[in-house]
Amino acid sequence: MAAATAALSAPSVTPPTYHRIVSDTLIIPSDPLEPIPVGLLACQRDPLLRELATTAVSSRLSQSPAVPSNGREGKKKKAAAPAPTAPLLEVILHDTIIFPEGGGQPSDVGVLTTSDGELWDVVEAKRHGGHAVHYVRLKPEQNVDDALRLFAPGSVVGVSLGEAGYKRRLDHMCMHTSQHLLSAVLETKLKVETLAWSLTAHPAPCYVDVERALTAEEIAYVQEEANRLVFEGRNVHVEVEELDPNTKVMSGPSVGIPSDYTGGVKRTVVIDGVDRNPCCGTHLPSIHNLQLFLVPHTETLARSTGSCVRLYFFAGPRLIDYLAATHAFLTSTANIMSCGAPQVPERVQQVVDDRKKATKRVEDLEAELAAAIAGELVAAASTREDGGLVMYRHRTDDAPNALGFLSAISTAYVNKAAEKGGPASYLVVLSSSPSAQTTTSTTVVLVFGSDDKKVKEVGEQLKSGLNVKGGGKGSRWSGKFVGVWKEGREGAVVQKILDGLTT
């Protein structure tokens, strides 16, 4: 992301007019032992600030080895990773430039420096009530008692985003501010409300959920209008005032002000002449250079109150990374296809068409071969004195669907036997192994016959005698054998099972 970050050319200093306290009675706490509430933090007053000297207010050993969840993982949550064994410290500072997760924006990461020069990794920050809590993961060589002493109330602490932390912050700001711009244009130009949004992990596109589907022309129009404002370089500022506790719930794409928020601050992010929206996140002081790209494909999703449409977008460093990755992917594909990039779609279509023709030809040949093998089985049955057929045949076959081919043989056998007046009584076992076998190779086995009971009996004996895993219903039973199948060993067991049947 380094090249992309450099290419964005974000301003290095936040303008003094960015953060505006519009309430005469709202004051930023100056007592070094009193935490500044979320809403007035340094990261929210000056989003481009990378370092800060402050003081510790409190610290304690976390009761959980993992950072507590925000409760928004949803139904698609993956299996939880093993809990880290390193101790986790909860540190509250007087002020911070490490943004605590909120407003749909993930937490920053950073580094704390104590008076002895020791560096402490902040793996996440969260809001508890109205305070920002830094979760500090101790390294193996760091001691809990030393940490609690160094973060004692009043101790001087340095706060830094670090290079990686600032790149993460810049990415989050670009995507968050772009979401405000996108939602504003959707609402003012198309009267389409944003129902929800997600600031996804880099490098995936972020998205907004809107109330109706958009045509390709509407998506192009919204993108053009948004980028017109970007090229104009509209400024962004934040207005802060005391929060009326009776008006916490707000409409709009943000989640509103949480009911457990006790900071007493209301922040409104303003894109000059475009949008005013309550938000606690960090935002760039200008939308200049935030070219917006809307992915011209949407998804329709079901919601508890109906359905919505998901619109994906890129901006800032994430857009540049996306373009670079897409170009590399296209170039690599062009090299594989031995053509220029513009010819890739045509060449890929040609390969797909050829593959379909080849697949059809293989299917036709397999059907012809299955019929021939079935004819041989019917002919073999006619040579028996009792007119019945009990037979085992093994094949070596590297087909991707070997069991499907054996099923084709069985179907063809039944049809040919009916046409030629074949044996009324028959039981056939077919097996198929790959040409190169290892201990993990799979041999498929198919049993079919005229007597359902005997088919089931043979299947059960294959389970017990060869550990074949499988099952069946009626006149067919199929299973899989894992390992090396040898005709003189496994094949002999199958033949012995058949020889032992009561005819």
Side-chain angles (χ1 to χ4, degrees), residues 287-310:
I287 61 174
H288 179 63
N289 272 344
L290 281 187
Q291 284 86 347
L292 186 67
F293 173 69
L294 305 181
V295 179
H297 301 287
T298 58
E299 295 179 0
T300 301
L301 305 171
R303 292 168 61 96
S304 58
T305 56
S307 62
C308 68
V309 174
R310 182 160 292 176

Side-chain angles (χ1 to χ4, degrees), residues 195-355:
L195 305 175
W197 86 289
S198 177
L199 204 169
T200 56
H202 179 277
C206 294
Y207 62 81
V208 293
D209 289 341
V210 295
E211 55 191 355
R212 69 168 176 85
L214 301 178
T215 66
E217 291 75 17
E218 286 178 321
I219 293 176
Y221 171 69
V222 169
Q223 179 173 282
E224 182 179 353
E225 284 297 304
N227 285 323
R228 180 179 63 80
L229 298 170
V230 168
F231 296 142
E232 290 178 7
R234 298 294 181 97
N235 290 327
V236 179
H237 70 272
V238 178
E239 296 179 0
V240 186
E241 58 188 308
E242 288 180 313
L243 175 65
D244 181 350
N246 297 319
T247 59
K248 278 190 174 183
V249 179
M250 301 178 183
S251 61
S254 66
V255 294
I257 298 178
S259 58
D260 65 340
Y261 173 67
T262 59
V265 176
K266 174 187 172 183
R267 297 177 79 244
T268 302
V269 176
V270 181
I271 302 176
D272 288 353
V274 178
D275 183 53
R276 296 177 61 87
N277 195 39
C279 183
C280 72
T282 56
H283 292 269
L284 287 169
S286 170
I287 61 174
H288 179 63
N289 272 344
L290 281 187
Q291 284 86 347
L292 186 67
F293 173 69
L294 305 181
V295 179
H297 301 287
T298 58
E299 295 179 0
T300 301
L301 305 171
R303 292 168 61 96
S304 58
T305 56
S307 62
C308 68
V309 174
R310 182 160 292 176
L311 179 62
Y312 294 91
F313 67 95
F314 289 97
R318 203 176 293 205
L319 172 57
I320 297 174
D321 290 343
Y322 172 74
L323 292 174
T326 301
H327 181 267
F329 177 78
L330 180 60
T331 301
S332 175
T333 305
N335 289 337
I336 293 172
M337 305 302 295
S338 299
C339 66
Q343 287 77 46
V344 165
E346 179 182 354
R347 188 61 62 87
V348 169
Q349 186 61 56
Q350 180 183 344
V351 171
V352 171
D353 292 342
D354 290 345
R355 178 61 181 270

Side-chain angles (χ1 to χ4, degrees), residues 353-370:
D353 292 342
D354 290 345
R355 178 61 181 270
K356 289 180 179 178
K357 293 177 182 178
T359 300
K360 180 63 168 59
R361 178 173 173 78
V362 169
E363 290 174 350
D364 292 343
L365 290 173
E366 285 188 344
E368 185 177 338
L369 179 59

Side-chain angles (χ1 to χ4, degrees), residues 392-394 402-403 406-407 428-433 442-448 458-459 462-463 466-471 476-482 485 490 494:
Y392 165 61
R393 288 289 185 270
H394 178 76
L403 181 58
L406 297 186
S407 296
V428 180
V429 178
L430 303 176
S431 60
S432 179
S433 301
T442 298
T443 294
V444 294
V445 182
L446 177 67
V447 184
F448 66 96
V458 171
L462 289 173
K463 280 184 176 181
L466 290 175
N467 197 29
V468 175
K469 307 295 184 182
R476 295 196 183 194
W477 188 98
S478 63
K480 294 182 179 180
F481 170 87
V482 178
W485 182 284
E490 284 75 18
V494 175

